[in-house]
Amino acid sequence: MFAQRVLSGMRPTGALHLGHYHGVLKNWLQLQNEYPCFFFVADWHALTTNYEDTSKIQEFTHEMVIDWLAAGLDPNNSTIFVQSKVPEHAELFLLLSMGTPLSWLERVPTYKDQIEKLKDKDLSTYGFLGYPLLQAADILIYRAQYVPVGEDQVPHIEMTREIARRFNHLYGKEANFEQNAILAAKKLGNKLSKLYLEFRRQYHENGNSEALEQAKAILEESQNLGVADHELLFSYIEGARKIILAEPHAMLTKASRMIGLDGQKMSKSYNNTISMREDKTSVEKKIKTMPTDPARIRRHDAGNPERCPVWLFHQVYTSPEIHEWVKKGCTTAGIGCLECKKPVTDAIIQEQEIFFSRAEPYLSDPTLVKNIIANGCDKAREIAQETMHDVRDVMGL
Ligand code: TRP
Ligand code: SF4
């Protein structure tokens, strides 16, 4: 019933690396050709863990958007904006916070994980606990159907669905909705109508999902219902009355095959990255000094690509023919490691050429990026305001 829309966000971390490109951005590029897409910089989310030092946020936002554009996001196609410039997110966040049980936030796995991981920071703050709720507001305010995210974010999307359901349940009461539903149920016949209402009750009172399925099955099998009654009874089971906030779906991004220079996941905190617009000599040096199979100490020692992080780079960057050449050359000591690394270096440098050329105009004229963001914010805000209008309306504000 709402337009199909894709939405995703990234915290501003400054220049992006090849892991971001292969893991996230390439996916966004594909989506922008298939759906109306909204991509935003989650700068308020950055504050939840970095509230003490805010000096880099603007610079990081600007740099990151340049990398989105360098990767090929097309501002005529995707709506690119910044969270803090659409203050409606904060209003929805506030309103949702009123009715969101603390336990929902406390049980989100990233909450305890992050507190454990970022021990040097004091994350016993209200803002940090509210992280996933702010994310829910980001999503719900655009009534987005699909949210491309990595696996770690799936629980946030699940919670967003619960938040939407609860909101619709609390505020989506339509005059006579219940009465109409009961009248429609009568058309199922005496016996089935009783069963239907009973299953619905079980679902509502105990969250019994089997009862939910059984109530749905009654509707599926019934011959006596018109389309409108069918739909009415369907939404009546879920308890959702009028749908004001749409439940989003996570669109799972395949784990990136891109690993870091040391063979671990590519990540700024492991200091093993190559940035999207890293200069050529630095790329050459990083690959040259990259570790290889530890068994290949001397040139004539045979190696095994399976034990070598360079091999994983070959998976991303070179052709099957080259893979054969590597396997044979490595296991017979027919090629040296520097030789083996050469096609990888070349392919990375070639891939980066287009990033540099796309970024060039934005680097020489920063107002271009500012304008893209301003236009994106206008477009995003229009939708956000529409949603807030409905939200305030049903809440009687
Ligand atoms: N939490 C996300 C991350 O760390 C970023 C984010 C904020 C987001 N709001 C969002 C992602 C809304 C998708 C939708 O990656
Ligand atoms: Fe790694 Fe290639 Fe050296 Fe083998 S030849 S150890 S795959 S860099």
Side-chain angles (χ1 to χ4, degrees):
M1 74 180 257
F2 297 117
Q4 295 228 327
R5 230 171 250 151
V6 165
L7 170 116
S8 198
M10 241 189 240
R11 279 173 292 175
T13 51
L16 298 180
H17 54 62
L18 296 175
H20 293 120
Y21 175 67
H22 287 278
V24 182
L25 294 175
K26 267 171 50 184
N27 185 41
W28 287 11
L29 295 179
Q30 198 180 338
L31 289 169
Q32 78 174 344
N33 297 321
E34 296 168 7
Y35 300 95
C37 284
F38 290 72
F39 298 120
F40 72 98
V41 181
D43 54 348
W44 280 338
H45 276 105
L47 293 178
T48 61
T49 50
N50 283 328
Y51 52 89
E52 286 178 16
D53 180 8
T54 59
S55 58
K56 291 271 191 286
I57 291 187
Q58 289 214 24
E59 179 192 326
F60 279 7
T61 299
H62 189 84
E63 279 296 297
M64 190 167 80
V65 171
I66 291 180
D67 278 339
W68 290 0
L69 298 164
L73 274 200
D74 175 0
N76 296 314
N77 212 350
S78 295
T79 304
I80 296 171
F81 67 101
V82 174
Q83 184 186 36
S84 65
K85 297 210 165 120
V86 186
E88 285 77 9
H89 290 224
E91 186 183 354
L92 184 58
F93 170 60
L94 174 94
L95 294 177
L96 294 174
S97 79
M98 299 303 167
T100 301
L102 277 180
S103 61
W104 288 16
L105 295 168
E106 285 160 349
R107 74 172 184 226
V108 171
T110 47
Y111 181 61
K112 288 199 182 89
D113 287 0
Q114 293 288 97
I115 287 181
E116 267 300 298
K117 258 200 211 136
L118 306 174
K119 274 220 175 87
D120 52 321
K121 290 190 176 141
D122 181 7
L123 294 183
S124 53
T125 57
Y126 177 60
F128 186 67
L129 179 65
Y131 186 111
L133 188 63
L134 179 58
Q135 184 166 354
D138 296 336
I139 298 167
L140 296 174
I141 205 158
Y142 299 102
R143 293 163 160 155
Q145 259 73 27
Y146 301 115
V147 186
V149 284
E151 197 154 12
D152 62 315
Q153 297 287 308
V154 171
H156 295 179
I157 311 303
E158 281 304 313
M159 196 195 79
T160 303
R161 294 170 59 84
E162 285 169 30
I163 302 260
R165 219 175 296 146
R166 186 173 167 89
F167 185 93
N168 294 329
H169 178 72
L170 290 173
Y171 307 112
K173 293 180 187 125
E174 214 165 6
N176 301 330
F177 185 92
E178 181 135 37
Q179 251 174 317
N180 292 341
I182 289 170
L183 281 177
K186 290 225 163 80
K187 297 182 193 162
L188 290 165
N190 221 342
K191 198 167 139 222
L192 283 179
S193 132
K194 266 203 193 120
L195 264 178
Y196 164 84
L197 292 171
E198 173 57 21
F199 285 137
R200 177 183 180 277
R201 191 189 60 77
Q202 284 179 18
Y203 173 61
H204 278 251
E205 283 179 11
N206 321 317
N208 182 343
S209 57
E210 215 168 286
L212 169 69
E213 290 314 313
Q214 277 168 310
K216 282 184 181 168
I218 292 177
L219 299 181
E220 301 287 7
E221 283 159 27
S222 150
Q223 312 284 329
N224 302 337
L225 293 176
V227 180
D229 286 333
H230 195 267
E231 211 156 88
L232 175 63
L233 290 175
F234 240 94
S235 46
Y236 185 60
I237 311 179
E238 301 260 11
R241 299 144 197 219
K242 200 161 125 199
I243 295 175
I244 299 124
L245 298 177
E247 288 185 42
H249 302 277
M251 211 177 218
L252 199 58
T253 312
K254 281 192 268 69
S256 165
R257 286 193 304 163
M258 194 71 221
I259 46 99
L261 292 161
D262 55 359
Q264 301 186 72
K265 182 181 162 176
M266 188 178 276
S267 158
K268 227 178 173 178
S269 50
Y270 297 147
N271 209 2
N272 64 0
T273 63
I274 295 177
S275 59
M276 282 177 60
R277 289 178 287 123
E278 181 127 8
D279 73 79
K280 194 172 150 185
T281 38
S282 171
V283 173
E284 282 166 346
K285 190 165 150 229
K286 281 185 175 175
I287 302 283
K288 209 174 257 173
T289 53
M290 202 177 152
T292 59
D293 177 0
R296 283 204 85 178
I297 299 162
R298 280 168 299 251
R299 168 67 179 79
H300 60 264
D301 295 328
N304 177 357
E306 301 297 334
R307 285 196 296 261
C308 178
V310 177
W311 177 237
L312 296 169
F313 273 60
H314 274 289
Q315 303 303 304
V316 176
Y317 280 103
T318 64
S319 66
E321 291 76 49
I322 294 189
H323 296 170
E324 279 313 303
W325 170 78
V326 171
K327 264 196 258 175
K328 187 145 168 270
C330 181
T331 52
T332 60
I335 57 169
C337 290
L338 285 180
E339 228 176 306
C340 175
K341 287 171 169 180
K342 180 81 169 59
V344 170
T345 311
D346 292 348
I348 292 177
I349 288 171
Q350 203 201 340
E351 178 178 73
Q352 285 175 319
E353 261 169 38
I354 188 147
F355 301 156
F356 281 113
S357 67
R358 288 204 193 101
E360 204 280 316
Y362 302 115
L363 294 169
S364 45
D365 181 2
T367 58
L368 291 177
V369 175
K370 295 212 166 80
N371 288 341
I372 287 171
I373 293 175
N375 286 337
C377 289
D378 284 347
K379 274 202 265 173
R381 232 180 145 187
E382 211 172 293
I383 298 171
Q385 284 175 344
E386 238 171 66
T387 307
M388 282 319 295
H389 179 87
D390 292 353
V391 164
R392 289 187 214 107
D393 183 48
V394 296
M395 289 183 76
L397 294 167

